Amino acid sequence: MAFFVCFIFFLISSATACDRCVHQTRAAYFSKASALSSGACGYGSLALGFNGGNLAAGVPSLYKDGAGCGACFQIRCKNTTLCSREGTRVILTDLNNNNQTDFVLTSRAFTAMAQKGLDQHILKLGIVDVEYKRVPCQYKNQNLAVRVEESSQKPNYLAIKFLYQGGQTEIVSVDVAQVGSSNWGFLSRNHGAVWDTSRVPSGPLQFRLVVTAGYDGKWIWARKNVLPADWKTGVIYDSGVQINDIAQEGCSPCDDGNWK
């Protein structure tokens, strides 16, 4: 137990502080949105349906070894004659290893930063100076969902990923148990948003998660029958819970409102 507490403290203290403050960088774009469908977060083709296709690959400090997958950012280019003041919102679905920019956006997200009628002008630039901040993800009336990956093999292996995580937090720990049991086992982050275990409880399954960012963390309990006893691969199951928390951050006040 002492090890577990220390482990969680490390995860909380190592999270990037002041996410919702404004940061300056540059952004480029992918010519095809499908380039992100095989992204490091493991969302696959599902990513193409997120946020109207306004997606982004982020540098390691934003990707956070996969904990940053699904995070939402508001981003705008700094050329005020070309770009709108509000910019656009993007969801992180991939890792960007290009050290010239913090973000590589889908072309849809890239042109969404432009003023009306100037989308082709921003595309011609290729790379633009931008500023960005993290913002809460919003999924109206949508619970956190659990997708069973095709690599899962009952009863010896279970791989899942979480979809529709609202608010502004990161999943840093996942446990699973049979419904009604207190015998919890942990899942490990396989890659990106994918978690797995080779010790799969029998029967219907419940989950508990630790979500955190900045210096604040909390347990989220999905006590209902999240995965039925006859769970199947490729199926998305409703967790019955919503994550809408805004993590506390140990930094001075900054611009945490919406740009308009």
Side-chain angles (χ1 to χ4, degrees), residues 10-221:
F10 169 77
L11 289 171
I12 294 173
S13 62
S14 62
T16 301
C18 305
D19 274 344
R20 57 181 175 265
C21 291
V22 178
H23 302 273
Q24 312 294 323
T25 186
R26 307 181 80 198
Y29 72 93
F30 290 112
S31 58
K32 294 184 178 180
S34 58
L36 289 176
S37 66
S38 58
C41 287
Y43 292 125
S45 59
L46 286 174
L48 300 179
F50 295 166
N51 195 36
N54 290 327
L55 312 175
V59 289
S61 61
L62 299 173
Y63 178 75
K64 300 179 181 179
D65 293 325
C69 290
C72 296
F73 296 87
Q74 191 168 4
I75 181 170
R76 63 183 178 189
C77 82
K78 298 174 69 175
N79 184 335
T80 56
T81 62
L82 178 63
C83 299
S84 67
R85 178 171 173 78
E86 65 272 16
T88 189
R89 289 193 175 204
V90 298
I91 295 179
L92 191 72
T93 59
D94 199 1
L95 173 64
N96 170 31
N97 286 312
N98 184 338
N99 59 12
Q100 292 184 326
T101 67
D102 280 5
F103 288 104
V104 180
L105 311 180
T106 56
S107 58
R108 179 184 294 272
F110 199 77
T111 56
M113 294 188 294
Q115 294 184 34
K116 186 176 180 180
L118 299 180
D119 52 336
Q120 293 303 310
H121 290 75
I122 193 173
L123 284 178
K124 289 179 180 179
L125 294 178
I127 298 177
V128 294
D129 293 321
V130 299
E131 53 188 7
Y132 71 91
K133 58 186 176 181
R134 188 168 175 183
V135 294
C137 295
Q138 297 177 345
Y139 299 101
K140 294 182 179 179
N141 302 317
Q142 177 69 62
N143 291 333
L144 183 73
V146 177
R147 185 185 190 276
V148 178
E149 299 296 272
E150 283 77 5
S151 59
S152 298
Q153 297 181 352
K154 190 187 295 183
N156 300 314
Y157 180 71
L158 174 65
I160 62 171
K161 63 188 169 209
F162 294 97
L163 306 173
Y164 314 124
Q165 181 185 352
Q168 187 180 319
T169 58
E170 294 148 12
I171 297 173
V172 296
S173 177
V174 180
D175 292 341
V176 63
Q178 185 181 71
V179 172
S181 171
S182 59
N183 185 22
W184 292 92
F186 69 90
L187 280 73
S188 301
R189 189 186 298 278
N190 182 291
H191 68 281
V194 179
W195 296 78
D196 65 3
T197 180
S198 58
R199 302 179 65 181
V200 186
S202 59
L205 302 181
Q206 60 179 334
F207 293 88
R208 64 182 183 184
L209 305 81
V210 175
V211 296
T212 185
Y215 62 80
D216 185 36
K218 67 177 291 185
W219 285 100
I220 301 292
W221 296 76

